[in-house]
Amino acid sequence: MTDAARRDGIVPVPSLPPLSRLSLNSPLALTGPVLVALPCLLAALLGFNTYATYGADAALGIAVGAAAVVAMAQTLILAARPPLVEPLFGGLDRMYRVHKWLGISAMVLMILHQQIEPDFERLVRETSLGELGEEAGELAFNALLALVAVSWFRRLPFTPLEIPYQIWRFSHRFMGALFAIVVFHQFFVDLPTEVDPSLSVLLNTFGIAGVIAWIFTELVAPYLRRREFTVTEISQTKDTTTLTLRPEGRAMRWRPGQFAFFRAPEAGLSEPHPFTIASAPRPDGTLTFSIRGLGGWTRSLPAILRTGTRVQVEGPYGRFNFRKGGARQIWLAGGIGITPFLAWAESLSEADSRDIHLIHCVRTQEEAIGVETLRAAAARNPRFSFEVVVTTRDGRLTAERLIGAVPFAIRQADLWFCGPTGLKDGILKGLKAQGQTPRRVRFEQFEFT
């Protein structure tokens, strides 16, 4: 598993994600989950079939253990953020969701393997390396169980208590090292020698791939993927900090709506956090982040960062792209969820022929950011319109108010959303009750782990 963080400046709040949140943005989005499930299933079936002659308990113990190894290997592979794999999941946010479910599945399978551990002592010739492999497996099992549990229960259930993000991420980085011990266990534990070697080949392949992915993530990727930027402008709007960054060297290419990981080791902020790029691509390569201060890390930005500070950006990631939508679109933003829409609005030209209406919901007027960008887009393209709903002044946005505000039939439009899940769920429920369900609903996870 990998570092967890909530998008757009909101501190990470890992939790067990309901399956309904694994929603899809494209037909390809189901391909990734299927592709990671099949090797786990194959390992389990191959393990059971290979050791069926030694009894049901032995076969089942090997089956769940084999599936656990493959599941854990794939969590490390996905944690490496392979760019060619991201489209198969419909975006990095959904790939991280699958990544977390793989980790949880691996934990459950490891517990089952421990409870029904196969006993081959009377059937094999024990070796000192085999005994070491068995002891290593015990060590790795207990340590991995603890780390996966910390990842799962970072926020203690029914309490406001959380493990600090820095401690959580530091412990998280040991996952690969512990998995390497699991691979050692798999290589050298004493097993019957007369069985079909196909299972061992499969497990060794995934084991080595997982370890290589972890080494790449920790030691290689930081030097290959991170680009150097310099802070050229800092502005503050209530609790939101807007940073303008100038590239040092080769500029980064991105599409409006994508996000990137940001860190500022020069200022003591070495942990990478993901934020939406709040600007469209520009000729000089400058980009903008608007980051809301809702945690210690993000609240510290205006006090620590200065003009001229060198920072690092890794990306871009994400597949939130309104240009893949229809001719009529509703853009609905909640709070700091406005950031991808600011980039979209900045990218609009006079020639864009889509009818677009944006609604930005904020608690107070001071929380509304990027209004000048939206006004410029509306002046540039008459098909684009927007409004800001201030809940302390106007009340909460309802489905009825949305229907009245949008200048075209919602049933014939795509709804693009970024913001708190409660806002999205409430609006969609209300629209369904009014018989105004949008043609399509597109969104990225507002938080991912």
Side-chain angles (χ1 to χ4, degrees):
M1 300 168 76
T2 189
D3 55 324
R6 198 167 174 179
R7 292 280 300 279
D8 300 307
I10 300 182
V11 293
V13 186
S15 60
L16 183 63
L19 287 173
S20 61
R21 294 188 64 184
L22 293 173
S23 58
L24 307 177
N25 267 349
S26 71
L28 266 181
L30 192 58
T31 305
V34 171
L35 288 179
V36 299
L38 286 178
C40 297
L41 181 60
L42 174 62
L45 293 175
L46 194 57
F48 190 89
N49 183 65
T50 301
Y51 289 90
T53 57
Y54 297 94
D57 288 347
L60 184 59
I62 291 292
V64 295
V69 169
V70 173
M72 197 65 203
Q74 291 186 100
T75 65
L76 296 171
I77 293 170
L78 295 186
R81 305 173 194 152
L84 296 179
V85 174
E86 181 188 344
L88 302 179
F89 294 83
L92 187 65
D93 56 329
R94 287 164 175 81
M95 191 168 81
Y96 268 14
R97 291 285 169 179
V98 174
H99 158 92
K100 181 171 184 176
W101 277 106
L102 276 172
I104 294 170
S105 300
M107 181 182 69
V108 173
L109 291 167
M110 282 189 292
I111 293 173
L112 291 174
H113 178 68
Q114 183 74 1
Q115 295 301 312
I116 51 178
E117 183 178 2
D119 183 7
F120 296 117
E121 289 185 3
R122 299 179 180 179
L123 303 174
V124 300
R125 180 183 177 184
E126 293 188 7
T127 64
S128 58
L129 198 56
E131 290 181 3
L132 181 60
E134 186 173 348
E135 292 174 0
E138 289 283 344
L139 170 66
F141 165 76
N142 292 314
L144 277 172
L145 197 60
L147 289 184
V148 173
V150 166
S151 299
W152 190 356
F153 295 112
R154 181 173 175 262
R155 170 178 283 179
L156 299 180
F158 312 111
T159 75
L161 300 177
E162 293 183 23
I163 298 172
Y165 173 73
Q166 290 77 8
I167 296 176
W168 174 87
R169 188 174 185 275
F170 180 76
S171 66
H172 214 53
R173 299 178 71 175
F174 287 104
M175 288 284 190
L178 293 174
F179 180 71
I181 298 176
V182 171
V183 174
F184 177 85
H185 166 79
Q186 152 61 26
F187 264 88
F188 297 111
V189 69
D190 293 317
L191 292 171
T193 57
E194 63 273 12
V195 297
D196 187 324
S198 300
L199 177 63
S200 294
V201 172
L202 176 68
L203 296 183
N204 293 342
T205 300
F206 272 94
I208 293 172
V211 172
I212 291 174
W214 173 66
I215 293 173
F216 175 82
T217 300
E218 296 296 329
L219 302 179
V220 180
Y223 299 98
L224 291 181
R225 293 178 172 174
R226 290 173 184 166
R227 300 175 188 269
E228 299 289 335
F229 284 77
T230 298
V231 178
T232 58
E233 185 178 344
I234 304 174
S235 62
Q236 190 76 14
T237 304
K238 200 174 181 183
D239 59 357
T240 299
T241 303
T242 298
L243 306 173
T244 300
L245 310 179
R246 182 190 67 233
E248 300 295 333
R250 188 163 56 97
M252 186 176 73
R253 296 182 179 180
W254 74 93
R255 295 188 306 273
Q258 290 190 294
F259 64 94
F261 288 83
F262 170 87
R263 66 195 294 265
E266 187 177 285
L269 303 173
S270 59
E271 300 294 340
H273 284 60
F275 305 106
T276 298
I277 302 171
S279 57
R282 299 164 180 169
D284 61 358
T286 60
L287 58 83
T288 299
F289 288 123
S290 290
I291 303 170
R292 189 176 182 188
L294 292 179
W297 197 96
T298 51
R299 289 194 187 104
S300 69
L301 292 179
I304 294 179
L305 293 182
R306 296 287 184 271
T307 300
T309 301
R310 302 265 295 197
V311 299
Q312 295 176 341
V313 177
E314 177 192 334
Y317 296 102
R319 304 182 63 78
F320 202 48
N321 186 358
F322 80 97
R323 298 193 182 280
K324 295 183 179 180
R328 294 178 177 175
Q329 300 186 15
I330 304 162
W331 298 354
L332 177 57
I336 197 63
I338 188 64
T339 48
F341 300 119
L342 293 180
W344 287 0
E346 184 179 330
S347 72
L348 287 174
S349 68
E350 297 177 4
D352 279 303
S353 58
R354 295 176 177 83
D355 293 316
I356 300 169
H357 186 71
L358 181 149
I359 298 179
H360 184 199
C361 298
V362 292
R363 193 173 63 86
T364 65
Q365 185 65 50
E366 292 75 19
E367 293 179 359
I369 63 171
V371 175
E372 292 303 319
T373 298
L374 300 179
R375 287 174 180 162
R380 190 168 59 248
N381 189 320
R383 291 178 175 270
F384 173 77
S385 58
F386 76 96
E387 60 184 293
V388 178
V389 175
V390 180
T391 56
T392 55
R393 180 193 67 199
D394 308 321
R396 294 178 62 85
L397 178 68
T398 63
E400 291 80 3
R401 289 181 60 182
L402 181 65
I403 294 170
V406 175
F408 43 78
I410 292 180
R411 286 194 304 268
Q412 301 172 3
D414 295 345
L415 174 63
W416 297 82
F417 174 83
C418 187
T421 304
L423 173 62
K424 171 180 64 68
D425 293 344
I427 291 296
L428 291 179
K429 182 178 179 181
L431 290 176
K432 183 178 180 180
Q434 296 286 326
Q436 293 288 332
T437 300
R439 191 170 67 98
R440 284 184 297 185
V441 179
R442 303 290 186 91
F443 64 94
E444 283 194 318
Q445 304 294 346
F446 196 55
E447 62 177 62
F448 59 87
T449 59

